[in-house]
Amino acid sequence: MKVKATESILRIKSPTKKQFSETAKQYQPFIIEDVAKKWDAYKHWSNDYLINKCGNNLVPVRFFKQNFWNDYNNFAYERSYEPHKEIRLEDYINNDRSLVCYLNEAVFEEYFPEIVGDVNYPEYFNRETFVRLWFGLASKNFSSSSSLHFDAEHNIFAQIRGRKRIILYPPIDYLSFYPPLEDASGALYGSKVNPDSVDLELFPKFPWQEKIEFVLQPGEILYIPPFWWHHLTAVDDNISLSFWYNVKIEDFFWQKKMLSVFFHTAPHYLYHLISAGNFRDLKFFKMMFGGDRGK
């Protein structure tokens, strides 16, 4: 099983559904241009607009301890994450930046019903989508970031406002990303490695040379195939939308390389869950074959 990264990210303009499918079947990420720029969200989502439309809405914000991302014993284990706290959107936008926090994975239709109509949902997949909103902050003290992880779904990631630095790695070998398999609270879709500070003595097999790194600009859409590892960091205050689509059986015949990746990853996942008695996370397999990520 071998999936290689291209040397640079492919870009296509306003693809038809057929053109999207032909490109995506190569099982490589790519950027879609000239689509999201036509959305009202791209044109109107300033802070003032959002406060006017939904400033009093309670939104889920995750607060982090200082230096949280400097130690994998924090970010690689689910037990280390504090639950989201709901605060007013206006308070989040106007915070004094002394807070280390991130409005992430907010269910779009639930938390922002007033502005759903500002977005034209992509129609590249004939299936339901689960949409999450990410509102990241960037300052000299803290930039919103994610751990290195993969999604088990197709991810159409639309950058609405501001910029994000993105690092992608192909799913070469699951274990070379050092997932936290030794602990029941390990995020099995995550890595112990921080791509911004790779310790090759501690993680000698990490495929650091395989990365694709770029800055996603406002109005651009990134397609991330299932199981591709990614790490995202705010360059500016920014807003993004993730459109997740569950994998169907037929996708393994369309994106043929994904089948070998799945069969390589699944046994490690399954063995860990059974040995840890963590059967609730068998939802990974349900999700892969038509389950609902949102439930």
Side-chain angles (χ1 to χ4, degrees):
M1 187 276 302
K2 185 71 171 178
V3 178
K4 286 185 174 290
T6 55
E7 292 185 0
S8 60
I9 192 77
L10 175 68
R11 293 174 174 271
I12 60 176
K13 294 181 180 290
S14 304
T16 63
K17 190 173 182 178
K18 182 178 180 180
Q19 289 169 334
F20 174 90
S21 180
E22 286 296 310
T23 306
K25 76 177 183 181
Q26 303 302 319
Y27 198 53
Q28 293 280 331
F30 57 90
I31 290 174
I32 299 171
E33 299 177 336
D34 298 336
V35 172
K37 286 184 177 180
K38 298 175 183 177
W39 300 352
D40 286 344
Y42 173 79
K43 300 172 185 176
H44 300 310
W45 281 10
S46 66
N47 284 346
D48 288 343
Y49 178 88
L50 294 173
I51 289 171
N52 180 58
K53 289 284 187 176
C54 39
N56 287 322
N57 293 13
L58 295 177
V59 294
V61 176
R62 178 157 274 155
F63 291 83
F64 300 95
K65 300 173 184 176
Q66 292 288 346
N67 300 317
F68 180 86
W69 299 105
N70 293 340
D71 186 350
Y72 74 83
N73 286 302
N74 293 328
F75 62 75
Y77 299 94
E78 294 179 352
R79 65 170 182 267
S80 301
Y81 288 85
E82 296 291 334
H84 285 88
K85 296 181 180 178
E86 292 194 340
I87 66 174
R88 294 170 64 246
L89 177 63
E90 183 173 5
D91 294 334
Y92 177 75
I93 291 173
N94 291 329
N95 83 77
D96 63 6
R97 304 309 174 89
S98 63
L99 300 175
V100 180
C101 59
Y102 188 10
L103 196 175
N104 64 344
E105 279 199 85
V107 180
F108 184 45
E109 294 92 343
E110 177 181 342
Y111 287 99
F112 300 94
E114 300 88 349
I115 57 174
V116 169
D118 292 345
V119 177
N120 301 327
Y121 284 23
E123 297 182 348
Y124 301 120
F125 292 94
N126 291 324
R127 63 197 70 166
E128 185 179 4
T129 184
F130 308 103
V131 189
R132 301 294 184 268
L133 182 141
W134 314 74
F135 194 149
L137 305 175
S139 69
K140 63 180 181 180
N141 299 318
F142 170 73
S143 291
S144 300
S145 183
S146 71
S147 61
L148 180 61
H149 68 285
F150 67 80
D151 300 316
E153 305 92 353
H154 303 280
N155 185 353
I156 293 181
F157 187 85
Q159 192 65 22
I160 306 299
R161 197 184 98 188
R163 298 170 294 166
K164 264 188 175 156
R165 180 172 62 88
I166 297 180
I167 302 175
L168 299 169
Y169 297 90
I172 298 168
D173 173 47
Y174 179 59
L175 295 182
S176 70
F177 288 91
Y178 297 89
L181 295 172
E182 76 287 349
D183 189 288
S185 78
L188 302 188
Y189 50 84
S191 170
K192 296 178 186 177
V193 182
N194 182 348
D196 285 332
S197 181
V198 178
D199 186 338
L200 290 178
E201 290 188 6
L202 191 59
F203 308 116
K205 295 182 180 180
F206 182 73
W208 61 275
Q209 293 177 307
E210 294 289 332
K211 73 177 181 180
I212 305 172
E213 183 174 353
F214 56 94
V215 173
L216 194 66
Q217 302 291 333
E220 295 181 339
I221 295 174
L222 172 66
Y223 169 65
I224 307 175
F227 300 108
W228 270 73
W229 296 81
H230 46 283
H231 174 77
L232 304 91
T233 305
V235 177
D236 316 299
D237 287 4
N238 73 92
I239 301 175
S240 314
L241 292 171
S242 286
F243 299 85
W244 279 315
Y245 302 82
N246 285 327
V247 171
K248 304 291 186 181
I249 294 293
E250 57 266 28
D251 295 351
F252 292 109
F253 298 94
W254 167 53
Q255 291 181 318
K256 295 180 181 179
K257 292 181 181 179
M258 184 172 60
L259 184 60
S260 62
V261 172
F262 175 73
F263 280 129
H264 176 76
T265 305
H268 299 294
Y269 223 100
L270 187 60
Y271 176 80
H272 172 79
L273 295 179
I274 292 174
S275 61
N278 191 7
F279 296 104
R280 67 178 178 83
D281 276 346
L282 287 174
K283 63 184 180 182
F284 168 81
F285 295 94
K286 177 183 177 184
M287 195 166 59
M288 283 293 300
F289 298 104
D292 187 341
R293 178 170 186 142
K295 295 180 180 180

